[in-house]
Amino acid sequence: MDDQQTWRRRTLLRRAGTGAFAFATLGGATGTGTAAATDAERRGSEPVANRQLSASPTQWPQFQADAVNSGYTETPGPAEGSVAWQYDTGSSGVATATPPATGTPFDDPPDDSRDNVVSSPAVVDGTVYVGSNAGYLYAIDAVSGDEAWTYETGEEVMSSPAVVDGTVYVGSHDGRLHAVGADSGEEEWTFEADGAVFASPTYHDGTLYVGSQSGTMYAVDTAGEEVWQRSVADRVDSTAAVVDDTVYVGLWNADHTGSVVALDAANGEQVQEYPATGEIACSPTVVDGVVYFGDYARTIYAVDVGTAELVWGRQFDGAILASPVVVDGTIYVGGFDGTLWAMNATNGDIEWSFATGNQIFSSPAVTADAVYVGSADQSLYAIDRATGDELFSVETDQPVLSSPAVTAGAVFVGSSDSRVYAIGDPTGGESVSATPPGTTDDPTRTGTAGTAPTDGSGGTTADDGPGFGALGALGALGLGAWQRHRVKESTDEQ
Protein backbone atom coordinates (compact mmCIF):
# COMPACT_ATOMS: atom_id res chain seq x y z
CA MET A 1 0.00 0.00 0.00
CA ASP A 2 1.23 3.45 -0.86
CA ASP A 3 1.88 5.52 2.25
CA GLN A 4 0.25 8.40 0.41
CA GLN A 5 -3.12 6.59 0.22
CA THR A 6 -5.80 9.30 0.27
CA TRP A 7 -7.88 9.59 3.42
CA ARG A 8 -11.29 11.22 3.37
CA ARG A 9 -11.12 14.50 5.25
CA ARG A 10 -13.94 15.75 7.41
CA THR A 11 -14.07 18.47 10.00
CA LEU A 12 -15.34 17.00 13.23
CA LEU A 13 -18.37 18.89 14.47
CA ARG A 14 -19.47 19.40 18.00
CA ARG A 15 -21.35 16.44 19.48
CA ALA A 16 -25.08 16.90 20.02
CA GLY A 17 -27.70 14.30 20.26
CA THR A 18 -30.92 13.04 18.85
CA GLY A 19 -31.68 9.40 18.18
CA ALA A 20 -31.28 7.76 14.81
CA PHE A 21 -32.24 4.58 13.05
CA ALA A 22 -31.16 1.29 14.64
CA PHE A 23 -28.41 -0.46 12.71
CA ALA A 24 -27.49 -4.06 13.28
CA THR A 25 -23.84 -4.68 13.35
CA LEU A 26 -22.05 -6.35 16.10
CA GLY A 27 -20.43 -4.26 18.70
CA GLY A 28 -17.76 -5.79 20.67
CA ALA A 29 -16.86 -5.90 24.15
CA THR A 30 -13.54 -6.28 25.86
CA GLY A 31 -9.79 -6.69 25.41
CA THR A 32 -6.18 -6.51 26.46
CA GLY A 33 -4.77 -8.82 23.84
CA THR A 34 -3.10 -10.82 26.58
CA ALA A 35 -3.85 -14.23 27.98
CA ALA A 36 -7.00 -14.50 30.09
CA ALA A 37 -6.39 -14.78 33.82
CA THR A 38 -7.29 -17.91 35.73
CA ASP A 39 -10.29 -17.77 38.04
CA ALA A 40 -7.97 -17.56 41.04
CA GLU A 41 -5.90 -14.75 39.54
CA ARG A 42 -9.00 -12.95 38.34
CA ARG A 43 -10.88 -13.06 41.60
CA GLY A 44 -8.21 -13.27 44.28
CA SER A 45 -9.54 -11.67 47.45
CA GLU A 46 -11.69 -9.10 45.66
CA PRO A 47 -15.23 -8.54 46.92
CA VAL A 48 -17.92 -9.98 44.67
CA ALA A 49 -18.97 -6.57 43.35
CA ASN A 50 -15.43 -5.90 42.08
CA ARG A 51 -14.81 -9.19 40.30
CA GLN A 52 -13.80 -8.78 36.69
CA LEU A 53 -15.33 -10.80 33.90
CA SER A 54 -13.02 -12.64 31.53
CA ALA A 55 -12.99 -15.75 29.40
CA SER A 56 -12.14 -19.16 30.84
CA PRO A 57 -12.65 -22.77 29.73
CA THR A 58 -16.26 -22.58 30.94
CA GLN A 59 -17.27 -18.97 30.31
CA TRP A 60 -17.40 -16.09 27.86
CA PRO A 61 -19.30 -13.72 30.13
CA GLN A 62 -19.80 -10.57 28.05
CA PHE A 63 -19.32 -9.17 24.57
CA GLN A 64 -15.79 -9.92 23.34
CA ALA A 65 -15.11 -11.78 26.58
CA ASP A 66 -14.05 -9.02 28.99
CA ALA A 67 -14.11 -5.32 29.82
CA VAL A 68 -11.25 -4.41 27.51
CA ASN A 69 -12.86 -5.99 24.42
CA SER A 70 -10.03 -8.49 24.03
CA GLY A 71 -12.07 -11.11 22.16
CA TYR A 72 -9.46 -13.61 23.35
CA THR A 73 -9.30 -16.84 25.29
CA GLU A 74 -6.46 -19.34 25.76
CA THR A 75 -9.09 -22.06 25.82
CA PRO A 76 -8.96 -24.26 22.67
CA GLY A 77 -12.11 -24.09 20.58
CA PRO A 78 -13.77 -26.92 18.62
CA ALA A 79 -11.66 -29.44 16.71
CA GLU A 80 -14.12 -29.70 13.82
CA GLY A 81 -17.25 -28.08 12.45
CA SER A 82 -20.02 -30.41 13.55
CA VAL A 83 -23.20 -28.76 14.85
CA ALA A 84 -23.94 -30.04 18.36
CA TRP A 85 -27.36 -28.39 18.49
CA GLN A 86 -29.49 -25.59 17.09
CA TYR A 87 -31.93 -23.58 19.15
CA ASP A 88 -34.67 -21.97 17.08
CA THR A 89 -35.99 -18.72 18.53
CA GLY A 90 -39.06 -19.32 16.38
CA SER A 91 -39.43 -15.88 14.86
CA SER A 92 -38.19 -14.11 11.76
CA GLY A 93 -37.50 -11.01 13.82
CA VAL A 94 -37.65 -7.49 12.41
CA ALA A 95 -35.86 -5.79 9.57
CA THR A 96 -32.35 -4.54 10.22
CA ALA A 97 -32.28 -0.90 9.18
CA THR A 98 -29.33 0.83 7.54
CA PRO A 99 -28.91 4.55 8.20
CA PRO A 100 -29.35 6.58 5.02
CA ALA A 101 -26.42 8.23 3.24
CA THR A 102 -23.69 6.40 5.12
CA GLY A 103 -21.91 5.14 2.05
CA THR A 104 -22.31 1.50 1.08
CA PRO A 105 -22.90 -0.65 4.16
CA PHE A 106 -25.49 -2.76 2.36
CA ASP A 107 -24.55 -2.65 -1.33
CA ASP A 108 -25.40 -6.36 -1.50
CA PRO A 109 -28.04 -6.90 1.19
CA PRO A 110 -28.79 -10.39 2.47
CA ASP A 111 -31.73 -12.10 0.75
CA ASP A 112 -33.75 -12.01 3.96
CA SER A 113 -33.71 -8.54 5.53
CA ARG A 114 -35.42 -9.80 8.69
CA ASP A 115 -32.38 -10.55 10.81
CA ASN A 116 -33.11 -12.33 14.04
CA VAL A 117 -30.19 -13.35 16.25
CA VAL A 118 -27.81 -10.41 15.86
CA SER A 119 -26.99 -10.40 19.59
CA SER A 120 -23.75 -12.16 20.50
CA PRO A 121 -23.93 -14.95 23.09
CA ALA A 122 -22.54 -14.92 26.61
CA VAL A 123 -21.78 -18.29 28.20
CA VAL A 124 -21.62 -18.74 31.98
CA ASP A 125 -22.08 -21.78 34.25
CA GLY A 126 -23.28 -24.06 31.48
CA THR A 127 -25.85 -21.64 30.09
CA VAL A 128 -25.88 -19.61 26.87
CA TYR A 129 -27.55 -16.19 27.10
CA VAL A 130 -28.49 -14.36 23.90
CA GLY A 131 -31.07 -11.90 22.58
CA SER A 132 -33.15 -11.74 19.40
CA ASN A 133 -34.69 -9.07 17.21
CA ALA A 134 -38.08 -10.49 18.16
CA GLY A 135 -37.61 -8.81 21.55
CA TYR A 136 -36.54 -11.69 23.77
CA LEU A 137 -33.59 -12.71 25.93
CA TYR A 138 -33.00 -16.47 26.02
CA ALA A 139 -31.25 -18.82 28.42
CA ILE A 140 -30.23 -22.08 26.72
CA ASP A 141 -28.50 -25.11 28.21
CA ALA A 142 -25.00 -25.10 26.72
CA VAL A 143 -24.73 -28.89 26.46
CA SER A 144 -28.22 -29.95 25.39
CA GLY A 145 -29.53 -26.83 23.66
CA ASP A 146 -32.71 -27.00 25.74
CA GLU A 147 -34.44 -23.74 26.64
CA ALA A 148 -34.15 -22.78 30.32
CA TRP A 149 -36.28 -19.64 30.09
CA THR A 150 -37.19 -16.64 27.94
CA TYR A 151 -37.60 -13.01 29.00
CA GLU A 152 -39.53 -10.48 26.90
CA THR A 153 -38.50 -6.84 26.53
CA GLY A 154 -41.02 -5.97 23.82
CA GLU A 155 -38.45 -4.56 21.36
CA GLU A 156 -35.35 -5.86 19.60
CA VAL A 157 -32.50 -7.22 21.72
CA MET A 158 -29.44 -6.69 19.53
CA SER A 159 -27.32 -5.90 22.58
CA SER A 160 -25.18 -8.75 23.90
CA PRO A 161 -25.62 -9.83 27.52
CA ALA A 162 -23.15 -9.40 30.37
CA VAL A 163 -23.54 -12.03 33.09
CA VAL A 164 -22.34 -11.13 36.57
CA ASP A 165 -22.88 -12.98 39.85
CA GLY A 166 -26.23 -14.50 38.94
CA THR A 167 -27.66 -11.58 36.98
CA VAL A 168 -27.89 -11.03 33.21
CA TYR A 169 -27.66 -7.43 32.01
CA VAL A 170 -28.74 -6.57 28.46
CA GLY A 171 -29.93 -3.56 26.48
CA SER A 172 -33.04 -3.37 24.32
CA HIS A 173 -34.54 -1.12 21.70
CA ASP A 174 -37.28 -0.42 24.24
CA GLY A 175 -34.81 2.15 25.63
CA ARG A 176 -33.95 0.19 28.77
CA LEU A 177 -31.11 -1.74 30.34
CA HIS A 178 -32.61 -4.91 31.80
CA ALA A 179 -31.34 -6.89 34.78
CA VAL A 180 -32.66 -10.46 34.78
CA GLY A 181 -32.06 -13.36 37.18
CA ALA A 182 -29.68 -15.78 35.49
CA ASP A 183 -31.39 -18.83 36.99
CA SER A 184 -35.00 -17.66 37.08
CA GLY A 185 -35.39 -15.39 34.07
CA GLU A 186 -37.30 -12.97 36.30
CA GLU A 187 -36.84 -9.21 36.04
CA GLU A 188 -34.73 -7.72 38.84
CA TRP A 189 -34.83 -4.13 37.62
CA THR A 190 -34.82 -1.96 34.49
CA PHE A 191 -32.93 1.28 33.91
CA GLU A 192 -34.46 3.76 31.48
CA ALA A 193 -32.14 5.40 28.95
CA ASP A 194 -33.00 8.26 26.59
CA GLY A 195 -33.10 6.07 23.49
CA ALA A 196 -32.75 2.54 22.11
CA VAL A 197 -29.87 0.54 23.59
CA PHE A 198 -28.10 -1.29 20.78
CA ALA A 199 -24.67 -1.32 22.44
CA SER A 200 -23.76 -4.09 24.84
CA PRO A 201 -23.21 -3.25 28.52
CA THR A 202 -19.61 -3.52 29.68
CA TYR A 203 -19.13 -4.62 33.29
CA HIS A 204 -16.14 -3.33 35.26
CA ASP A 205 -15.61 -2.99 39.02
CA GLY A 206 -19.29 -3.14 40.01
CA THR A 207 -20.46 -0.76 37.27
CA LEU A 208 -22.10 -1.24 33.87
CA TYR A 209 -21.15 1.16 31.07
CA VAL A 210 -23.47 1.45 28.07
CA GLY A 211 -24.51 3.99 25.43
CA SER A 212 -27.84 4.82 23.82
CA GLN A 213 -28.77 5.55 20.22
CA SER A 214 -29.62 9.05 21.39
CA GLY A 215 -25.93 9.61 22.06
CA THR A 216 -25.72 9.34 25.85
CA MET A 217 -23.20 7.24 27.76
CA TYR A 218 -24.37 5.86 31.11
CA ALA A 219 -22.66 4.34 34.12
CA VAL A 220 -25.12 2.24 36.13
CA ASP A 221 -24.38 0.23 39.26
CA THR A 222 -25.54 -3.37 39.70
CA ALA A 223 -28.51 -2.18 41.78
CA GLY A 224 -29.81 -0.24 38.76
CA GLU A 225 -28.85 3.20 40.09
CA GLU A 226 -27.30 5.79 37.79
CA VAL A 227 -23.71 6.69 38.64
CA TRP A 228 -23.36 9.26 35.86
CA GLN A 229 -24.49 10.10 32.35
CA ARG A 230 -22.91 12.19 29.62
CA SER A 231 -24.12 13.26 26.17
CA VAL A 232 -21.25 12.41 23.81
CA ALA A 233 -22.64 12.16 20.26
CA ASP A 234 -25.75 11.85 18.13
CA ARG A 235 -25.61 8.12 18.59
CA VAL A 236 -23.64 5.38 20.37
CA ASP A 237 -23.68 1.89 18.82
CA SER A 238 -20.17 1.03 20.03
CA THR A 239 -19.65 -1.18 23.07
CA ALA A 240 -17.27 0.47 25.51
CA ALA A 241 -13.87 -0.86 26.52
CA VAL A 242 -12.80 -0.09 30.09
CA VAL A 243 -9.06 -0.03 30.73
CA ASP A 244 -7.23 1.46 33.73
CA ASP A 245 -10.41 3.19 34.95
CA THR A 246 -10.95 4.85 31.58
CA VAL A 247 -13.94 4.19 29.31
CA TYR A 248 -13.25 4.15 25.55
CA VAL A 249 -16.25 4.25 23.23
CA GLY A 250 -16.92 5.00 19.56
CA LEU A 251 -19.17 7.88 18.50
CA TRP A 252 -21.53 8.34 15.56
CA ASN A 253 -22.80 11.71 14.38
CA ALA A 254 -25.56 12.65 11.95
CA ASP A 255 -23.08 14.52 9.72
CA HIS A 256 -21.18 11.23 9.24
CA THR A 257 -18.27 12.15 11.48
CA GLY A 258 -17.02 10.09 14.39
CA SER A 259 -14.31 9.56 16.96
CA VAL A 260 -13.41 7.44 19.95
CA VAL A 261 -13.72 9.32 23.21
CA ALA A 262 -12.02 8.45 26.51
CA LEU A 263 -14.06 9.17 29.65
CA ASP A 264 -13.13 8.93 33.31
CA ALA A 265 -14.86 5.78 34.56
CA ALA A 266 -15.63 7.38 37.95
CA ASN A 267 -17.40 10.54 36.77
CA GLY A 268 -17.77 10.49 32.98
CA GLU A 269 -15.53 13.50 32.39
CA GLN A 270 -13.79 13.48 29.01
CA VAL A 271 -10.11 12.63 29.25
CA GLN A 272 -9.12 12.45 25.57
CA GLU A 273 -10.56 12.16 22.06
CA TYR A 274 -9.30 10.21 19.04
CA PRO A 275 -10.87 11.55 15.81
CA ALA A 276 -11.67 9.50 12.73
CA THR A 277 -12.88 10.38 9.26
CA GLY A 278 -16.17 8.50 9.48
CA GLU A 279 -18.82 7.27 11.88
CA ILE A 280 -17.72 4.65 14.42
CA ALA A 281 -19.98 1.71 15.28
CA CYS A 282 -16.94 -0.47 15.95
CA SER A 283 -16.07 -1.22 19.56
CA PRO A 284 -12.48 -0.18 20.35
CA THR A 285 -9.83 -2.18 22.13
CA VAL A 286 -6.77 -0.88 23.99
CA VAL A 287 -3.48 -2.76 24.14
CA ASP A 288 -0.15 -1.50 25.49
CA GLY A 289 -1.18 2.14 25.43
CA VAL A 290 -2.64 2.07 21.91
CA VAL A 291 -6.35 2.23 21.03
CA TYR A 292 -7.41 0.32 17.90
CA PHE A 293 -10.68 0.97 16.05
CA GLY A 294 -12.27 1.16 12.60
CA ASP A 295 -14.82 3.45 10.96
CA TYR A 296 -17.28 3.84 8.09
CA ALA A 297 -14.59 5.60 6.06
CA ARG A 298 -12.99 2.14 5.59
CA THR A 299 -10.02 2.85 7.85
CA ILE A 300 -8.37 1.05 10.76
CA TYR A 301 -6.58 3.32 13.24
CA ALA A 302 -3.92 2.74 15.87
CA VAL A 303 -3.64 5.81 18.12
CA ASP A 304 -1.55 6.52 21.21
CA VAL A 305 -4.01 6.79 24.11
CA GLY A 306 -2.00 9.39 26.01
CA THR A 307 -1.01 11.82 23.26
CA ALA A 308 -3.79 11.06 20.74
CA GLU A 309 -1.07 10.88 18.08
CA LEU A 310 -1.67 8.54 15.16
CA VAL A 311 0.65 5.51 15.26
CA TRP A 312 -0.55 4.09 11.93
CA GLY A 313 -3.64 3.72 9.79
CA ARG A 314 -4.75 1.52 6.91
CA GLN A 315 -7.62 1.97 4.51
CA PHE A 316 -9.58 -0.91 2.97
CA ASP A 317 -12.36 -1.43 0.42
CA GLY A 318 -15.23 -1.49 2.90
CA ALA A 319 -16.44 -0.01 6.16
CA ILE A 320 -15.08 -1.49 9.40
CA LEU A 321 -17.89 -2.15 11.87
CA ALA A 322 -16.55 -5.32 13.48
CA SER A 323 -14.34 -4.87 16.52
CA PRO A 324 -10.61 -5.60 16.29
CA VAL A 325 -8.85 -8.18 18.41
CA VAL A 326 -5.16 -7.68 19.25
CA VAL A 327 -3.16 -10.69 20.46
CA ASP A 328 0.60 -11.20 20.65
CA GLY A 329 1.40 -8.32 18.33
CA THR A 330 -1.21 -9.10 15.66
CA ILE A 331 -4.52 -7.34 15.03
CA TYR A 332 -7.42 -9.36 13.59
CA VAL A 333 -10.40 -7.55 12.07
CA GLY A 334 -13.04 -8.07 9.40
CA GLY A 335 -14.66 -5.55 7.10
CA PHE A 336 -17.42 -4.93 4.59
CA ASP A 337 -14.98 -6.02 1.89
CA GLY A 338 -15.71 -9.54 3.13
CA THR A 339 -12.16 -10.14 4.29
CA LEU A 340 -10.67 -11.04 7.65
CA TRP A 341 -7.31 -9.32 7.97
CA ALA A 342 -4.34 -10.18 10.19
CA MET A 343 -1.96 -7.24 10.53
CA ASN A 344 1.11 -6.35 12.51
CA ALA A 345 -0.20 -4.33 15.45
CA THR A 346 2.91 -2.17 15.53
CA ASN A 347 2.86 -0.86 11.97
CA GLY A 348 -0.23 -2.19 10.17
CA ASP A 349 1.67 -4.48 7.82
CA ILE A 350 -0.52 -7.31 6.50
CA GLU A 351 0.41 -10.79 7.70
CA TRP A 352 -2.38 -12.69 5.92
CA SER A 353 -5.94 -12.28 4.71
CA PHE A 354 -8.93 -14.62 4.46
CA ALA A 355 -11.74 -13.87 2.02
CA THR A 356 -15.33 -14.81 2.83
CA GLY A 357 -18.21 -14.52 0.39
CA ASN A 358 -19.84 -11.40 1.84
CA GLN A 359 -19.56 -8.58 4.36
CA ILE A 360 -18.22 -9.20 7.86
CA PHE A 361 -20.20 -7.63 10.70
CA SER A 362 -19.10 -10.26 13.20
CA SER A 363 -16.24 -9.47 15.58
CA PRO A 364 -13.66 -12.27 15.70
CA ALA A 365 -13.08 -14.54 18.69
CA VAL A 366 -9.43 -15.56 18.96
CA THR A 367 -7.87 -18.54 20.75
CA ALA A 368 -4.26 -19.69 21.01
CA ASP A 369 -4.42 -21.26 17.58
CA ALA A 370 -7.59 -20.18 15.77
CA VAL A 371 -9.77 -17.23 14.79
CA TYR A 372 -13.56 -17.66 14.62
CA VAL A 373 -15.69 -15.20 12.69
CA GLY A 374 -19.11 -15.02 11.07
CA SER A 375 -19.92 -13.68 7.61
CA ALA A 376 -22.98 -12.41 5.80
CA ASP A 377 -22.31 -15.26 3.35
CA GLN A 378 -24.25 -17.36 5.91
CA SER A 379 -21.23 -19.11 7.41
CA LEU A 380 -19.13 -19.28 10.54
CA TYR A 381 -15.42 -19.79 9.83
CA ALA A 382 -12.57 -21.24 11.88
CA ILE A 383 -9.24 -19.97 10.54
CA ASP A 384 -5.72 -21.01 11.50
CA ARG A 385 -4.29 -18.10 13.43
CA ALA A 386 -0.74 -18.58 12.17
CA THR A 387 -1.34 -19.18 8.46
CA GLY A 388 -4.79 -17.84 7.66
CA ASP A 389 -5.88 -21.22 6.29
CA GLU A 390 -9.47 -22.34 6.72
CA LEU A 391 -9.83 -25.04 9.37
CA PHE A 392 -13.54 -25.53 8.84
CA SER A 393 -16.74 -23.64 8.12
CA VAL A 394 -20.34 -24.17 9.16
CA GLU A 395 -23.16 -22.98 6.92
CA THR A 396 -26.41 -21.57 8.30
CA ASP A 397 -29.51 -20.52 6.39
CA GLN A 398 -28.98 -16.75 6.66
CA PRO A 399 -26.18 -14.23 7.36
CA VAL A 400 -24.11 -14.64 10.53
CA LEU A 401 -23.93 -11.13 12.00
CA SER A 402 -23.53 -12.29 15.60
CA SER A 403 -20.05 -12.50 17.13
CA PRO A 404 -18.97 -15.95 18.33
CA ALA A 405 -18.30 -16.95 21.94
CA VAL A 406 -15.76 -19.69 22.66
CA THR A 407 -15.55 -22.14 25.56
CA ALA A 408 -13.60 -25.40 25.82
CA GLY A 409 -14.22 -27.36 22.64
CA ALA A 410 -17.19 -25.31 21.47
CA VAL A 411 -18.19 -22.08 19.78
CA PHE A 412 -21.64 -20.49 20.09
CA VAL A 413 -23.07 -18.01 17.58
CA GLY A 414 -26.38 -16.60 16.37
CA SER A 415 -27.66 -16.43 12.79
CA SER A 416 -30.27 -14.39 10.98
CA ASP A 417 -32.08 -17.67 10.27
CA SER A 418 -33.50 -17.23 13.83
CA ARG A 419 -31.24 -19.92 15.33
CA VAL A 420 -28.46 -20.11 17.89
CA TYR A 421 -25.78 -22.67 17.01
CA ALA A 422 -23.45 -24.72 19.21
CA ILE A 423 -20.52 -26.02 17.14
CA GLY A 424 -18.08 -28.65 18.34
CA ASP A 425 -18.38 -30.40 21.69
CA PRO A 426 -19.99 -28.21 24.39
CA THR A 427 -18.80 -30.69 27.03
CA GLY A 428 -15.14 -30.00 26.17
CA GLY A 429 -12.89 -30.63 23.18
CA GLU A 430 -9.47 -30.40 21.62
CA SER A 431 -7.53 -27.69 19.84
CA VAL A 432 -8.40 -26.98 16.22
CA SER A 433 -4.76 -26.86 15.12
CA ALA A 434 -1.44 -28.48 15.91
CA THR A 435 0.48 -25.49 14.56
CA PRO A 436 1.81 -23.30 17.39
CA PRO A 437 0.64 -19.70 17.21
CA GLY A 438 3.13 -17.40 15.56
CA THR A 439 4.54 -20.11 13.26
CA THR A 440 3.54 -21.63 9.94
CA ASP A 441 3.94 -25.03 8.37
CA ASP A 442 5.27 -23.28 5.25
CA PRO A 443 7.65 -20.40 6.08
CA THR A 444 7.34 -19.08 2.52
CA ARG A 445 3.56 -18.67 2.71
CA THR A 446 2.37 -15.05 2.65
CA GLY A 447 -1.33 -15.22 1.80
CA THR A 448 -4.42 -17.40 2.17
CA ALA A 449 -7.81 -18.27 0.81
CA GLY A 450 -6.63 -17.95 -2.77
CA THR A 451 -6.88 -14.15 -2.86
CA ALA A 452 -4.44 -11.32 -2.51
CA PRO A 453 -5.18 -8.54 -0.04
CA THR A 454 -6.39 -5.31 -1.57
CA ASP A 455 -4.82 -1.98 -0.87
CA GLY A 456 -8.08 -0.09 -0.39
CA SER A 457 -8.09 1.31 -3.93
CA GLY A 458 -9.11 -1.78 -5.86
CA GLY A 459 -5.55 -2.91 -6.57
CA THR A 460 -3.54 -5.52 -4.75
CA THR A 461 -0.61 -5.28 -2.42
CA ALA A 462 1.87 -7.76 -1.04
CA ASP A 463 0.59 -9.54 2.04
CA ASP A 464 3.32 -7.91 4.08
CA GLY A 465 2.65 -4.49 2.61
CA PRO A 466 2.98 -1.55 4.97
CA GLY A 467 0.16 0.35 6.58
CA PHE A 468 0.14 4.11 6.84
CA GLY A 469 3.01 4.86 9.17
CA ALA A 470 2.64 7.90 11.37
CA LEU A 471 4.67 9.99 8.91
CA GLY A 472 3.01 8.45 5.87
CA ALA A 473 -0.46 9.07 7.26
CA LEU A 474 0.43 12.63 8.11
CA GLY A 475 1.72 13.01 4.59
CA ALA A 476 -1.63 11.87 3.25
CA LEU A 477 -3.74 13.88 5.64
CA GLY A 478 -1.39 16.78 6.07
CA LEU A 479 -0.01 17.46 9.54
CA GLY A 480 -2.32 20.41 9.96
CA ALA A 481 -5.36 18.34 9.02
CA TRP A 482 -4.57 15.67 11.61
CA GLN A 483 -4.00 18.31 14.29
CA ARG A 484 -7.33 19.91 13.40
CA HIS A 485 -8.97 16.50 13.77
CA ARG A 486 -7.56 16.27 17.29
CA VAL A 487 -8.97 19.59 18.42
CA LYS A 488 -12.47 19.16 19.90
CA GLU A 489 -13.71 22.60 18.92
CA SER A 490 -11.67 23.59 15.93
CA THR A 491 -11.90 27.17 14.74
CA ASP A 492 -12.84 25.96 11.25
CA GLU A 493 -15.88 23.90 12.33
CA GLN A 494 -18.87 24.44 10.15
Side-chain angles (χ1 to χ4, degrees):
M1 173 180 290
D2 185 347
D3 278 353
Q4 301 304 309
Q5 173 81 44
T6 301
W7 287 31
R8 283 196 295 163
R9 305 181 188 185
R10 289 194 179 113
T11 302
L12 294 183
L13 301 185
R14 213 171 283 188
R15 277 76 182 125
T18 58
F21 248 101
F23 177 62
T25 183
L26 300 228
T30 56
T32 58
T34 59
T38 65
D39 285 348
E41 291 170 335
R42 177 169 46 84
R43 294 179 179 175
S45 58
E46 291 181 288
V48 169
N50 290 331
R51 289 179 185 170
Q52 299 310 302
L53 304 185
S54 61
S56 76
T58 60
Q59 67 176 22
W60 185 278
Q62 60 182 335
F63 183 78
Q64 292 301 92
D66 53 40
V68 291
N69 291 343
S70 71
Y72 178 74
T73 178
E74 287 187 320
T75 301
E80 43 79 35
S82 63
V83 176
W85 52 257
Q86 304 174 36
Y87 173 84
D88 193 347
T89 63
S91 171
S92 62
V94 297
T96 295
T98 304
T102 55
T104 58
F106 255 131
D107 283 342
D108 183 20
D111 292 338
D112 184 355
S113 63
R114 300 181 71 80
D115 302 315
N116 188 271
V117 186
V118 172
S119 172
S120 302
V123 186
V124 173
D125 294 335
T127 302
V128 179
Y129 302 92
V130 67
S132 80
N133 285 21
Y136 290 89
L137 174 68
Y138 304 85
I140 307 163
D141 186 278
V143 174
S144 68
D146 293 336
E147 178 187 298
W149 50 257
T150 63
Y151 170 87
E152 185 175 8
T153 70
E155 298 288 345
E156 301 101 292
V157 181
M158 297 183 186
S159 175
S160 303
V163 187
V164 188
D165 298 322
T167 300
V168 185
Y169 304 95
V170 71
S172 170
H173 277 58
D174 69 354
R176 294 178 174 87
L177 180 66
H178 294 256
V180 182
D183 292 332
S184 66
E186 297 294 326
E187 179 183 301
E188 295 183 358
W189 51 258
T190 61
F191 175 85
E192 189 162 351
D194 61 356
V197 181
F198 168 81
S200 305
T202 300
Y203 173 84
H204 176 76
D205 275 351
T207 302
L208 300 151
Y209 300 90
V210 68
S212 76
Q213 290 193 319
S214 291
T216 302
M217 273 299 296
Y218 295 92
V220 182
D221 68 24
T222 54
E225 297 297 324
E226 180 180 300
V227 178
W228 54 258
Q229 65 168 281
R230 176 167 292 274
S231 179
V232 291
D234 289 333
R235 172 172 164 176
V236 177
D237 279 3
S238 171
T239 295
V242 186
V243 184
D244 296 331
D245 297 321
T246 302
V247 178
Y248 300 85
V249 67
L251 308 183
W252 176 307
N253 292 298
D255 63 356
H256 313 313
T257 62
S259 64
V260 167
V261 68
L263 307 175
D264 188 296
N267 56 29
E269 294 295 325
Q270 182 171 311
V271 176
Q272 188 58 276
E273 188 171 28
Y274 314 101
T277 54
E279 311 96 303
I280 298 177
C282 164
S283 301
T285 190
V286 179
V287 180
D288 295 332
V290 176
V291 57
Y292 299 87
F293 57 94
D295 69 4
Y296 256 109
R298 304 176 290 127
T299 302
I300 285 285
Y301 304 83
V303 184
D304 185 284
V305 298
T307 65
E309 295 292 341
L310 181 70
V311 178
W312 59 263
R314 181 180 277 277
Q315 194 169 60
F316 293 104
D317 284 340
I320 308 292
L321 278 74
S323 302
V325 173
V326 182
V327 184
D328 297 335
T330 298
I331 176 174
Y332 305 90
V333 69
F336 273 33
D337 59 4
T339 304
L340 179 73
W341 301 90
M343 296 174 285
N344 185 300
T346 302
N347 55 28
D349 290 357
I350 294 172
E351 297 177 358
W352 53 255
S353 66
F354 179 88
T356 74
N358 209 321
Q359 298 160 335
I360 297 177
F361 296 77
S362 177
S363 300
V366 180
T367 70
D369 47 16
V371 182
Y372 300 89
V373 70
S375 171
D377 71 1
Q378 306 185 12
S379 297
L380 175 81
Y381 293 91
I383 303 158
D384 187 283
R385 192 177 132 190
T387 67
D389 290 324
E390 180 177 327
L391 299 167
F392 65 78
S393 62
V394 174
E395 187 174 351
T396 72
D397 290 333
Q398 289 295 333
V400 178
L401 311 184
S402 171
S403 300
V406 179
T407 60
V411 60
F412 303 88
V413 72
S415 170
S416 296
D417 63 9
S418 83
R419 294 176 174 88
V420 181
Y421 289 79
I423 297 159
D425 179 6
T427 66
E430 298 177 353
S431 170
V432 297
S433 171
T435 305
T439 65
T440 65
D441 294 324
D442 179 0
T444 65
R445 181 180 181 85
T446 57
T448 72
T451 61
T454 61
D455 64 2
S457 60
T460 60
T461 183
D463 287 352
D464 59 350
F468 297 72
L471 293 178
L474 290 173
L477 276 174
L479 177 59
W482 179 253
Q483 289 176 332
R484 286 196 299 274
H485 277 301
R486 290 183 53 211
V487 177
K488 270 198 308 180
E489 297 186 4
S490 173
T491 57
D492 63 356
E493 288 177 351
Q494 303 299 318

